[in-house]
Structures are given as structure tokens and as C-alpha cells.
Amino acid sequence: MMDVGRHPRIKLLTMSEVVGVKGYVGNFQARILKKARYVDEKECTACGECTRVCPVVWPDEFDLGLSSRRAIFSPFPQAVPSAYLININECLGHNPVVCAKCVEACDKGCINFHMSDEEIVEEVGSIIVATGLEVYDPTELDEYGYTRFENVLTSLEFERLVNAGGPTNGELIRPTDRKRPRSIGFYLPPKYKAWVSGLHS
Ligand code: SF4
Ligand code: SF4
């Protein structure tokens, strides 16, 4: 992602969505909705001073709710561009400005509540459709107790807990009491069991 952000021939549009395409191969016009981030991404140094004063606390999506973030935040470590953004639906200071603590804390003056979503048109020769994927909903497998026991985790939640950059700096703890577990059970769906045994045969 960093390389893409720095590449002289790639224009990276984050917080953006393609809303329409017309044209033909070699000559497409893509209509793109660029959402307002309310922080000037070219000026923001990602110093974090704004986050320290923001009073609004929300579960951090990147840590799957295992940690919290503020209404002004960086979506994840090493995000590109390296700039903060405001979730305007969570912010207290929008229309009328009733908070603005982040504005006072930002020496760079790069927070701007007058930004708005804008639609732009890009002329491109080809389009690669890369849809990504959705995370499996673990509540569909309730026989494993995900909705009943807080210490039952998905593999992604487990990854955040053992990640050195995660909410516990890599220390594996039980979410309920923050103590180290004495033992851990891993559930492997039957269709993968055969595959794993094949690796060891
Ligand atoms: S918005 Fe301002 S205070 Fe917040 S991280 Fe960017 S430069 Fe720092
Ligand atoms: S204005 Fe919004 S983003 Fe800024 S500190 Fe207040 S609540 Fe947080």
C-alpha cells in the first residue's frame, strides 16, 4: 500500500466509491464519490494530538472492538495516506460546532468542517474489479458459543490479540478478565481437518 501511495503513476483515492462507469475499453469515464475526511490529508502529520483531546469513544473496527478509538482517528497503523479522519456521524462538533477540541489541538490547522463529499470523474483505459470479501458471521455457528461466551474468539480477533501492534501489544489475554489463559482450544471445521492431516502424512 505504501508503494502504491508513493508511485508517481498511481493516483490513490481512499474513502472513495465508484458510482458509475460509462465508455468502452481504452476510454472509460468513472464517476467516483470521494467522501470528506474533514482533515487535509496533505497537511496532516499523523501526530495524534487531536485524538488525545477528543471526548468521543467508539469501538475500534480494525481491532474488532477489542480496543477503542476516538471520533478523529487513523483507521489502522500504517494507513495510506498517513493522515487522520473524522467520522462526522460520531463527532460532537459538526453543525453547529459544539466541541472543536481537535481544532484547538491541531497546530497544523488541517481540520476543516467545511469539507464535503465530492463527485469526480476519472478517465481510465481499463478497470480491474477487485471486490474484496466479507468476514464470515460467527454468530451463525452458535453451537461453538460465540454469542454466549466472551472468551470464544474468531481467528481474526485472535490475530489482533497476538499481534504486537494490537490492543494488548501482543500479550494473549482472556477478554473477560484480562488474565492469561491456561489452555486454548482451536476449532477446525471438519472439511479442513482432512486437509491438515494431509499436510502431515
Ligand atoms: S489532524 Fe492535526 S493534530 Fe490530528 S494528527 Fe493530523 S496534524 Fe496531528
Ligand atoms: S470536534 Fe469532533 S472529532 Fe473533534 S474533538 Fe470534538 S468530537 Fe472529537
Side-chain angles (χ1 to χ4, degrees), residues 50-51 53-56 70-73 85-88 90-94 97-103 111 113:
C50 49
T51 283
V53 296
C54 179
V56 177
R70 303 301 165 127
I72 183 162
F73 63 106
L85 62 97
I86 292 176
N87 183 324
I88 210 66
E90 299 165 357
C91 170
L92 304 174
H94 181 58
V97 174
V98 293
C99 172
K101 288 184 191 303
C102 55
V103 178
I111 297 168
F113 284 110

Side-chain angles (χ1 to χ4, degrees), residues 163-174:
N163 190 298
T168 58
N169 298 323
E171 189 179 349
L172 182 56
I173 56 164
R174 296 188 297 209

Side-chain angles (χ1 to χ4, degrees), residues 59-73:
D60 184 311
E61 295 85 352
F62 185 68
D63 276 339
L64 302 155
L66 294 166
S67 69
S68 60
R69 62 161 178 78
R70 303 301 165 127
I72 183 162
F73 63 106

Side-chain angles (χ1 to χ4, degrees), residues 39 43-50 72 84 105-108 110-111:
V39 175
E43 294 297 322
C44 176
T45 57
C47 67
E49 291 300 324
C50 49
I72 183 162
Y84 278 43
C106 180
D107 287 343
K108 300 283 290 179
C110 53
I111 297 168

